[in-house]
Amino acid sequence: MTSGRDGEAGSRRSRTRLAACCAGLTATALLLSGCGSGSSDSASANSAAADSSSPSAGMDDMEGTAMGDPSATPADKIPGAEVVKGTFKLLDTRPPGMDDVKGTASLAQGPKGTTVTVSLTGLKPGEQYMSHLHGQPCATKGGGEHFQFDKGGPATPPNEVHLMFTADKSGMGMTTVNNDRKTGKEAVAVVVHPMEAMDNRIACADFDF
């Protein structure tokens, strides 16, 4: 026969497991949404992302939600695609230690939809970063809101274009991601920020349409 004390302990364990599950789901939602609406609070990446040495590890098996493959064909090498490029410029919202960040971005539109590549140096070695396509130029609130294929829809791929990558030992990071749909000229910029500080946009690149 189970005592009242054992029953209470079991109930506490159940509540603990439920709370942990909810916390994990919340962290995942923050990771995917990124580039907050102006809050100065930092959002922490979930442990699964932090432990991943490959930016797209475990993501490519989830249709439409891949967030980058550093070994994929770069956007400016896609056969038969129309390519626009941009150079990253530092933003005033960048966190300390990011003054030497430089890089380029390419956006290609071709038979396979939209391909985006970002490549940067001057990052903190071993740290993770996230980039998103944006619907406004860099001079407008650092790119404004995320570009969305269906405005008002989910703030996650495939409705948005996200790129996640880890800087190597030299502080260089790059990755490429593909989306089956074409952005047209509505995705005009790309923004990069640290994974651990989603709202602290480091740099922005305008595409040369």
Side-chain angles (χ1 to χ4, degrees):
M1 184 179 220
T2 303
S3 69
R5 181 175 300 175
D6 290 340
E8 290 176 3
S11 178
R12 284 196 298 271
R13 285 194 295 271
S14 296
R15 289 196 297 270
T16 300
R17 285 194 295 269
L18 178 59
C21 178
C22 291
L25 291 173
T26 300
T28 300
L30 288 171
L31 168 65
L32 292 173
S33 61
C35 284
S37 58
S39 170
S40 60
D41 293 337
S42 298
S44 298
N46 59 23
S47 58
D51 291 339
S52 173
S53 58
S54 171
S56 57
M59 299 273 183
D60 289 335
D61 294 332
M62 300 169 62
E63 185 176 357
T65 62
M67 285 192 275
D69 180 357
S71 65
T73 302
D76 60 352
K77 304 295 184 183
I78 301 293
E82 295 183 7
V83 180
V84 290
K85 299 181 179 181
T87 300
F88 281 102
K89 296 180 180 179
L90 294 174
L91 297 174
D92 292 339
T93 52
R94 65 186 182 279
M98 296 280 98
D99 293 345
D100 295 326
V101 174
K102 299 178 181 179
T104 59
S106 300
L107 184 151
Q109 297 184 73
K112 294 185 178 181
T114 299
T115 302
V116 182
T117 297
V118 295
S119 178
L120 299 108
T121 59
L123 302 170
K124 292 184 178 181
E127 295 204 2
Q128 288 193 313
Y129 296 86
M130 178 76 87
S131 288
H132 305 90
L133 289 185
H134 283 249
Q136 293 181 301
C138 298
T140 304
K141 298 181 179 179
E145 300 296 327
H146 291 182
F147 163 80
Q148 294 190 321
F149 289 99
D150 298 316
K151 293 183 179 180
T156 55
N159 194 45
E160 294 187 359
V161 178
H162 296 190
L163 300 94
M164 185 170 67
F165 57 95
T166 301
D168 65 16
K169 293 180 180 179
S170 69
M172 186 271 184
M174 69 85 62
T175 195
T176 296
V177 74
N178 186 76
N179 191 293
D180 292 339
R181 300 170 69 176
K182 294 184 178 182
T183 62
K185 295 183 178 181
E186 294 185 15
V188 301
V190 59
V191 174
V192 62
H193 60 79
M195 187 73 71
E196 64 179 11
M198 295 280 190
D199 295 327
N200 293 349
R201 302 181 185 191
I202 299 169
C204 179
D206 289 313
F207 292 116
D208 58 356
F209 282 108

